[in-house]
């Protein structure tokens, strides 16, 4: 019958508007008070983003870029603006919830990375106070022919002789080792604490849509720490490797310096990638804010 066909068509249209697998009833618009609050949040996000987008793009080391939250903060602000200005309530909710889920996922990954780095930095820092120390100057490691207990062995390769006699230099390296390991552990501990708070905030403490929007806009500048803390923890851990290995042998020192050297070489690629991502965000932000000219063209990307 025609009435049944018309009813089926209307039902499918409602499902397509609500999204696949969603409710068949189109959600009502939020109350006027909530709409005004979201409008204020949207305008605040635009004002923050406008500080950076109104100027020509230079690089990701621009102080204004850091002030507005680096890549992470800018991405969140653009998502919030796009979500609030979307045509439907369900699209707004879908975008904000997906953004919060992505932040929780990033924070969870950062906690895992920081935890793994701690399993390396803490044992290295505590190795020198172990009850059963490794014979660090054994001739088999290129030492001067004496192990940690003082028992004599055959003289090692002469090229390595005297390596462990430079007590002052080795003591200075030990200071540097402990400082770098302490910085690594500190950044990783801070990262875990920050990520715990991030996960709790966006999954439990902000249960409503408007509270999630407020958290995203209010914490735009600190979201970048979910990336910064683990990275600095890894960098300082890699920098401590050669200073820890210097008490073993020159061979171990060279081998332990390779990871940090590779990180320094790869940092050029990371900077290039970061600049390209920031340039892309700059163009997207100018389009979102309807700022004419000054954007990054396709050729420069």
């Amino acid at each position: 019958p025609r009435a049944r066909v018309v009813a089926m068509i209307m039902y499918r249209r409602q499902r397509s508007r609500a999204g696949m697998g969603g409710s068949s009833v189109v959600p009502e618009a939020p109350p006027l008070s909530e709409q005004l609050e979201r409008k204020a949040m949207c305008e605040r996000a635009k004002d923050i983003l406008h500080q950076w987008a109104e100027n020509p793009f230079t690089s990701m080391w621009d102080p204004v870029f850091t002030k507005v939250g680096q890549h992470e903060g800018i991405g969140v602000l653009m998502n919030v603006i796009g979500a609030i200005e979307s045509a439907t309530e369900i699209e707004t909710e879908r975008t904000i919830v997906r953004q919060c889920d992505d932040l929780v996922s990033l924070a969870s990954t950062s906690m895992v990375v920081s935890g793994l780095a701690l399993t390396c930095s803490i044992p290295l820092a505590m190795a020198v106070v172990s009850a059963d120390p490794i014979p660090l100057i054994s001739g088999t490691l290129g030492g001067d022919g004496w192990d940690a207990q003082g028992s004599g062995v055959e003289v090692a390769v002469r090229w390595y002789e005297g390596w462990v006699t430079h007590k002052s230099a080795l003591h200075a390296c030990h200071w540097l080792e402990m400082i770098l390991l302490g910085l690594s552990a500190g950044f990783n501990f801070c990262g875990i604490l920050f990520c715990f708070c991030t996960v709790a905030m966006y999954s439990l403490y902000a249960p409503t849509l408007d509270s999630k929007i407020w958290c995203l806009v209010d914490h735009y500048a600190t979201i970048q720490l979910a990336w910064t803390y683990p990275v600095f923890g890894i960098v300082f851990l890699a920098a401590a490797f050669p200073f820890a290995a210097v008490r073993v042998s020159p061979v171990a020192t060279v081998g332990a310096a390779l990871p940090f050297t590779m990180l320094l070489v790869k940092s050029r690629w990371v900077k290039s990638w970061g600049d390209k991502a920031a340039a892309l965000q700059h163009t997207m932000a100018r389009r979102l804010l309807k700022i004419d000219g000054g954007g990054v063209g396709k050729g420069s990307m």
Side-chain angles (χ1 to χ4, degrees), residues 138-186:
S138 171
T140 59
L141 298 177
D144 64 350
W146 296 86
D147 59 18
Q149 285 73 32
S151 57
V153 294
E154 296 296 329
V155 176
V157 182
R158 290 185 178 181
W159 187 41
Y160 296 151
E161 288 182 1
W163 178 266
V164 294
T165 61
H166 301 286
K167 303 297 183 182
S168 298
L170 292 179
H171 185 63
C173 289
H174 178 57
W175 269 94
L176 290 174
E177 170 201 355
M178 297 305 297
I179 291 174
L180 292 172
L181 289 176
L183 288 172
S184 174

Side-chain angles (χ1 to χ4, degrees), residues 19-43:
M20 292 304 296
S23 174
S24 60
V25 179
V26 178
E28 297 180 357
L32 180 59
S33 59
E34 293 185 10
Q35 294 183 41
L36 295 176
E37 183 68 22
R38 293 181 191 178
K39 184 66 175 179
M41 288 287 100
C42 184
E43 292 301 321

